[in-house]
Amino acid sequence: MEQNRGIIFNIQHFSIHDGPGIRTTVFLKGCPLRCPWCSNPESQRANPEKMLDAVTKKETITGEEKTVTEIIDDVLKDVDFYEESGGGLTLSGGEIFAQFEFAKAILKAAKEVGLHTAIETTAFVEHEKFVDLIQYVDFIYTDLKHYNTLKHKKVILSIILCKHSSKVAEC
């Protein structure tokens, strides 16, 4: 997918927990980690997908393709709130680095119009990409999954195996 288009699953206006001030949080789809404690499991798969709405019990599509311009236009609707509160745009997910070029293009466009930017990330990415993207970032939340890579993989693997086990009660 080209850098000017990507897949998101939500744009949340008037966010107050995703960085300083009042913010608009754009949630990108896709995450390579699949952690069992994920707070946004609907974000894990990269593409739009059918899901059952927990409230209405109706099938919905989670995720849609958007352009950088569409996102920035939507985010700028709240610019008065950002100016008064010191807020701005936050990119979250999923893992924003799963759509590296798209995330970078959004952040760059946000900086071009003078927005404060924040990201929420696991930082699960090559060092060069991390350094390349953060030049457009004012504030970073990092979700440390486990300080030891091998132990993190062991937790994830045991949960995956458990889900596919006939002995679920033992898991």
Side-chain angles (χ1 to χ4, degrees):
M1 188 166 292
E2 68 180 72
Q3 72 181 30
N4 291 332
R5 295 183 163 286
I7 306 294
I8 68 162
F9 73 93
N10 190 23
I11 296 179
Q12 182 178 324
H13 295 270
F14 211 80
S15 295
I16 57 172
H17 301 292
D18 295 319
I22 298 169
R23 314 190 68 77
T24 298
T25 304
V26 178
F27 293 88
L28 306 183
K29 279 193 56 78
C31 182
L33 297 180
R34 308 289 192 273
C35 300
W37 51 79
C38 181
S39 58
N40 296 322
E42 68 276 23
S43 71
Q44 291 180 345
R45 291 185 180 83
N47 296 314
E49 58 188 311
K50 292 181 184 178
M51 299 190 97
L52 191 63
D53 185 284
V55 176
T56 66
K57 305 298 182 199
K58 293 182 180 178
E59 194 172 83
T60 62
I61 300 294
T62 300
E64 63 180 315
E65 184 178 271
K66 291 271 189 181
T67 66
V68 171
T69 301
E70 289 172 321
I71 289 170
I72 295 299
D73 287 348
D74 197 349
V75 170
L76 285 173
K77 292 176 184 176
D78 295 332
V79 73
D80 292 339
F81 294 113
Y82 312 145
E83 290 172 355
E84 289 295 318
S85 70
L89 163 74
T90 298
L91 285 188
S92 188
E95 171 50 62
I96 67 161
F97 284 104
Q99 295 190 63
F100 169 72
E101 292 295 340
F102 182 54
K104 181 178 163 184
I106 294 168
L107 293 166
K108 185 177 180 181
K111 296 311 288 176
E112 288 171 357
V113 295
L115 292 176
H116 182 276
T117 58
I119 61 172
E120 294 183 69
T121 178
T122 65
F124 185 75
V125 67
E126 299 87 13
H127 176 78
E128 295 77 20
K129 286 185 177 180
F130 188 84
V131 170
D132 187 22
L133 184 127
I134 63 168
Q135 66 184 311
Y136 306 108
V137 177
D138 299 306
F139 189 87
I140 300 173
Y141 277 112
T142 302
D143 183 4
L144 180 62
K145 301 299 183 179
H146 199 293
Y147 67 92
N148 182 300
T149 301
L150 294 176
K151 288 183 179 179
H152 179 255
K153 287 179 180 179
K154 183 178 177 182
V155 168
I156 300 302
L157 182 58
S158 67
I159 289 168
I160 290 169
L161 292 174
C162 195
K163 285 183 179 180
H164 297 289
S165 171
S166 59
K167 300 177 182 178
V168 175
E170 295 176 19
C171 293

